[in-house]
Amino acid sequence: MSSRTATAAQSLTAITEEVGACAQQVAGADLSRLAQLLDRYERVFVLGAGRSGLALRMTAMRLMHLGLTVHVVGEVTTPAIGPQDILLTASGSGSTAAVVRAAETAVAAGAEVAAITTNPRSRLAELAGTVVVVPAAEKLDRSGAASSQYAGSLFEQTVMLIGDALFHALWLNSGASGDDLWPRHANLE
Amino acid sequence: MSSRTATAAQSLTAITEEVGACAQQVAGADLSRLAQLLDRYERVFVLGAGRSGLALRMTAMRLMHLGLTVHVVGEVTTPAIGPQDILLTASGSGSTAAVVRAAETAVAAGAEVAAITTNPRSRLAELAGTVVVVPAAEKLDRSGAASSQYAGSLFEQTVMLIGDALFHALWLNSGASGDDLWPRHANLE
Amino acid sequence: MSSRTATAAQSLTAITEEVGACAQQVAGADLSRLAQLLDRYERVFVLGAGRSGLALRMTAMRLMHLGLTVHVVGEVTTPAIGPQDILLTASGSGSTAAVVRAAETAVAAGAEVAAITTNPRSRLAELAGTVVVVPAAEKLDRSGAASSQYAGSLFEQTVMLIGDALFHALWLNSGASGDDLWPRHANLE
Amino acid sequence: MSSRTATAAQSLTAITEEVGACAQQVAGADLSRLAQLLDRYERVFVLGAGRSGLALRMTAMRLMHLGLTVHVVGEVTTPAIGPQDILLTASGSGSTAAVVRAAETAVAAGAEVAAITTNPRSRLAELAGTVVVVPAAEKLDRSGAASSQYAGSLFEQTVMLIGDALFHALWLNSGASGDDLWPRHANLE
């Protein structure tokens, strides 16, 4: 997208192509390892700042539909994390202060930590036992080199699709049908 | 994806292809009209249930970065909607009770209503002055005909990409640089 | 508070006296019955609109500290309610649409419903197996007869104190010390 | 409350007496100064962790009803804070990490900071231009000396009543009637 104007349709095409190309470069082995981890732990905690956090909330809801016990860090009913739990984080830069601190605490509490990030050499990636690298621009890179989109948009979109892919694989491999999951959907809204 | 098992990488590929194909079928004229509307109103209110609501929150954050006054329905500081405002909704079925009721109230209050939905004949679409139709399965269709994914996943993914496309086009057409938007990012987290 | 100006200190005194007088008129037998119910069910769901909902979130956090499984209706990880669960609601008028609908759904799903309200003849009170009546003005009564405060403020304050009283009694009667509860506090913030 | 069992009614009486006694010891001059500050700034940001944050959200909603522009730190539509803004915080200990960091950032951005805390010698109190001291136990004091209640409950209850007192005084002194405020209430829920 070289020009500086676009129709929304052109933008949608450009974004879809970017996210498709980005997703293809995510290492399948890392994704599989993360899927296995989510299945192994008693409870899954998710944490991301801003839009990354919203993407992980979308993942959290689906993992709950799958029957896992899931907590969003910061919600009022979220308990303490411990050795039986996994903390799934997402941070483009891998250096978001609140996410790094939570990962440090989780490691100290004996929990497993997984990270989705653009930066495999970041502090968050160091702390995480499992890292999924997304080859997108990080939020602070506004050069336009890695993406035509603003800030961390491509990263955040990819986090959302990765979360849905993790769910999708866990769901298929569980042998459960869609009808099996349906009764877990919130019925009070 | 005909088999009933998948690696997470296979799932990510399948999802990316689905969302790419779905996005291509969204009518460009409807997207452009919605982009123009968002630019015209003083305040934008967003509302969706569950994952659709999370996708619209991602949109809301970007529209705030663009300089619009944006409110998420249900947050404690969200005021009453009125004739100078637009309500942007997303509902796969177009019949989510809370969303339909809010749209009715918004219309009665003289506000503009826009809807992203799979169903152009739904109550929500009837209420909305502008409708963007997403050719995805709706949440209650678990036949697998329209998508290999669970429930409304394809719809929700597409809502997120549409929101980012609306932002992207508004941003490019505004002439603002990324550096111009950056100072609006929350600095207290 | 007959005059139409006040210092914040005068307002604090007036509010404290109002809430103290209001709390004294809540029937102890109803409170005890509600405390017993909360102890008996596997999972507690809480729901209120606006400030009533915020007050119940404060209660929800404490009940989690006590070891109960607690969900706030509307959060992304909240599952479906069922026969082993109790829905704790608060609505000044007892007719808040979203709360009444949720209570109807909960009853239909076989769940227990409890309500804190000013109106024992309201639809919400009809639906609830246990009702705690708060003799405060309801939100829509702006006559000033029942309270010098704005809208439902006195009700909402009393809901918060009732929630803390329920927790306090359950805690004392559990025999647990403060140190026993402490490890459940969220450690990732 | 010397015994280690209580009915919920006894707990409610004990709590109400505690909060009444605590509120009476809050310095009126500090409250008045804080009320004046809230009235003077263009935008009010509120931040507290856990239950203190919920109490401040209750305050935030009322300040919005009064016509102020209010943002809850952490919500998706909350922009950057700047020199025209005030950050209202609450922390029992005055050392909650996320709150202290936000206060440091706010000061660096030229914003005014106000703090409600039990500890006038805390880091948060140092950073704040205006401090309201609540003579309640802080959360980490589980000795029972300052309160029969668990952790920071008495502090959090008092924060909520202080917020409502600030609103009440601002409202009375504004000359607005309840009917004047009513149209600002959210109409989409």
Side-chain angles (χ1 to χ4, degrees):
Chain A
M1 202 172 302
S2 55
S3 74
R4 286 296 296 174
T5 67
T7 64
Q10 289 170 331
S11 292
L12 183 56
T13 300
I15 288 171
T16 307
E17 289 174 358
E18 275 199 0
V19 76
C22 181
Q24 286 313 102
Q25 297 175 63
V26 175
D30 294 342
L31 286 178
S32 293
R33 197 161 153 229
L34 180 50
Q36 285 162 11
L37 271 180
L38 293 175
D39 220 16
R40 189 181 307 157
Y41 281 87
E42 281 189 17
R43 301 188 301 185
V44 179
F45 289 63
V46 305
L47 174 62
R51 288 169 36 108
S52 296
L54 292 167
L56 287 183
R57 278 176 167 79
M58 295 178 78
T59 307
M61 189 177 277
R62 278 289 181 264
L63 295 178
M64 178 272 283
H65 293 156
L66 204 55
L68 305 185
T69 298
V70 189
H71 294 287
V72 176
V73 175
E75 288 191 350
V76 298
T77 56
T78 297
I81 200 168
Q84 273 74 47
D85 305 323
I86 181 168
L87 173 66
L88 173 61
T89 62
S91 164
S93 67
S95 62
T96 310
V99 178
V100 167
R101 277 192 311 275
E104 290 171 341
T105 304
V107 167
E112 177 81 28
V113 173
I116 308 176
T117 180
T118 69
N119 187 351
R121 290 173 305 283
S122 61
R123 177 69 181 139
L124 182 62
E126 275 176 21
L127 288 162
T130 296
V131 179
V132 172
V133 179
V134 173
E138 61 156 286
K139 190 176 175 183
L140 298 173
D141 173 10
R142 297 194 292 284
S143 68
S147 166
S148 74
Q149 295 189 68
Y150 179 65
S153 293
L154 177 56
F155 173 74
E156 296 141 8
Q157 293 153 4
T158 310
V159 168
M160 198 267 262
L161 296 182
I162 285 175
D164 278 4
L166 292 167
F167 161 79
H168 190 259
L170 288 169
W171 172 44
L172 290 191
N173 299 340
S174 75
S177 70
D179 288 342
D180 292 335
L181 271 58
W182 194 250
R184 293 198 191 95
H185 278 248
N187 56 358
L188 293 187
E189 290 175 283
Chain B
M1 203 172 303
S2 56
S3 74
R4 285 296 296 173
T5 68
T7 64
Q10 289 170 331
S11 292
L12 183 56
T13 300
I15 288 171
T16 307
E17 288 174 358
E18 274 198 1
V19 77
C22 181
Q24 286 312 103
Q25 297 174 64
V26 175
D30 294 342
L31 286 178
S32 293
R33 197 161 153 228
L34 180 49
Q36 285 162 11
L37 272 180
L38 293 175
D39 220 15
R40 190 180 307 157
Y41 281 87
E42 282 190 15
R43 302 188 301 186
V44 179
F45 289 63
V46 305
L47 175 62
R51 288 171 34 110
S52 296
L54 292 167
L56 286 183
R57 279 175 167 81
M58 294 179 78
T59 307
M61 189 177 277
R62 277 288 181 265
L63 295 178
M64 179 271 284
H65 293 156
L66 203 56
L68 305 185
T69 297
V70 190
H71 294 288
V72 177
V73 175
E75 287 191 349
V76 296
T77 57
T78 297
I81 201 168
Q84 274 73 48
D85 305 323
I86 180 168
L87 173 65
L88 173 60
T89 63
S91 164
S93 66
S95 61
T96 310
V99 178
V100 168
R101 277 191 312 273
E104 290 170 342
T105 305
V107 167
E112 177 80 28
V113 174
I116 309 176
T117 180
T118 69
N119 187 351
R121 290 172 305 283
S122 60
R123 176 70 180 136
L124 182 61
E126 274 176 21
L127 288 162
T130 296
V131 178
V132 173
V133 178
V134 173
E138 61 155 286
K139 191 175 174 183
L140 299 173
D141 172 10
R142 296 194 292 284
S143 68
S147 167
S148 73
Q149 295 188 69
Y150 179 66
S153 293
L154 177 56
F155 174 74
E156 297 141 8
Q157 293 152 5
T158 309
V159 169
M160 198 266 264
L161 295 181
I162 285 175
D164 278 2
L166 293 167
F167 161 79
H168 190 259
L170 288 169
W171 172 44
L172 289 190
N173 300 340
S174 75
S177 70
D179 288 342
D180 291 335
L181 272 58
W182 194 250
R184 294 199 190 95
H185 279 248
N187 56 358
L188 292 186
E189 289 175 285
Chain C
M1 203 173 303
S2 55
S3 75
R4 286 295 297 173
T5 67
T7 64
Q10 289 170 330
S11 291
L12 184 56
T13 299
I15 289 172
T16 306
E17 289 174 358
E18 275 199 0
V19 76
C22 181
Q24 285 313 102
Q25 297 174 64
V26 175
D30 294 341
L31 286 179
S32 293
R33 196 160 154 229
L34 180 49
Q36 285 162 11
L37 271 179
L38 293 175
D39 220 16
R40 189 181 307 157
Y41 281 86
E42 281 189 16
R43 302 188 302 186
V44 179
F45 290 62
V46 306
L47 174 62
R51 287 170 37 109
S52 296
L54 291 167
L56 287 183
R57 279 176 167 80
M58 295 179 77
T59 307
M61 188 176 278
R62 278 289 179 265
L63 295 178
M64 179 271 284
H65 293 157
L66 204 56
L68 305 185
T69 297
V70 189
H71 294 288
V72 176
V73 175
E75 287 191 350
V76 298
T77 57
T78 298
I81 201 168
Q84 273 74 46
D85 305 323
I86 181 168
L87 173 66
L88 173 60
T89 62
S91 164
S93 67
S95 62
T96 309
V99 178
V100 167
R101 277 192 312 274
E104 290 170 340
T105 305
V107 167
E112 178 81 27
V113 174
I116 308 176
T117 179
T118 68
N119 186 350
R121 289 171 306 282
S122 60
R123 176 68 181 137
L124 182 62
E126 274 176 20
L127 287 161
T130 297
V131 179
V132 172
V133 178
V134 173
E138 62 155 286
K139 191 175 174 182
L140 298 172
D141 172 10
R142 296 195 291 285
S143 67
S147 167
S148 74
Q149 295 189 68
Y150 179 65
S153 293
L154 177 57
F155 174 74
E156 296 141 8
Q157 293 153 4
T158 310
V159 169
M160 199 268 263
L161 295 181
I162 285 174
D164 279 2
L166 292 167
F167 161 79
H168 190 259
L170 288 169
W171 172 45
L172 290 191
N173 300 340
S174 75
S177 70
D179 288 341
D180 291 335
L181 271 58
W182 194 250
R184 293 198 190 95
H185 277 248
N187 56 358
L188 292 186
E189 290 175 284
Chain D
M1 202 174 301
S2 55
S3 73
R4 285 295 296 172
T5 67
T7 65
Q10 288 169 330
S11 291
L12 183 56
T13 299
I15 288 172
T16 306
E17 289 174 358
E18 274 198 1
V19 77
C22 182
Q24 285 313 101
Q25 297 174 63
V26 176
D30 293 342
L31 286 178
S32 293
R33 196 160 153 229
L34 180 49
Q36 285 163 12
L37 272 180
L38 293 175
D39 220 16
R40 190 181 307 157
Y41 281 86
E42 281 189 16
R43 302 188 301 186
V44 179
F45 290 63
V46 305
L47 175 62
R51 288 170 35 109
S52 296
L54 292 167
L56 286 184
R57 278 176 168 79
M58 295 178 77
T59 307
M61 188 176 278
R62 278 289 179 262
L63 295 179
M64 179 272 284
H65 293 155
L66 204 55
L68 304 185
T69 298
V70 190
H71 294 288
V72 176
V73 174
E75 287 191 350
V76 298
T77 57
T78 298
I81 201 168
Q84 273 74 46
D85 305 324
I86 181 168
L87 173 66
L88 173 60
T89 62
S91 164
S93 67
S95 61
T96 310
V99 178
V100 168
R101 277 192 311 274
E104 290 171 340
T105 304
V107 167
E112 177 81 28
V113 174
I116 308 175
T117 179
T118 68
N119 186 350
R121 290 172 305 283
S122 61
R123 177 69 182 139
L124 182 61
E126 274 175 20
L127 288 161
T130 296
V131 178
V132 173
V133 178
V134 174
E138 62 156 288
K139 190 174 173 183
L140 298 173
D141 172 10
R142 296 194 292 285
S143 67
S147 167
S148 74
Q149 295 189 67
Y150 179 65
S153 293
L154 177 56
F155 173 74
E156 297 141 7
Q157 292 153 4
T158 310
V159 169
M160 198 266 265
L161 296 182
I162 285 175
D164 278 3
L166 292 167
F167 161 79
H168 189 259
L170 288 169
W171 172 44
L172 290 190
N173 300 341
S174 75
S177 70
D179 288 342
D180 291 335
L181 270 58
W182 194 250
R184 294 199 190 94
H185 278 248
N187 56 357
L188 292 186
E189 290 173 283

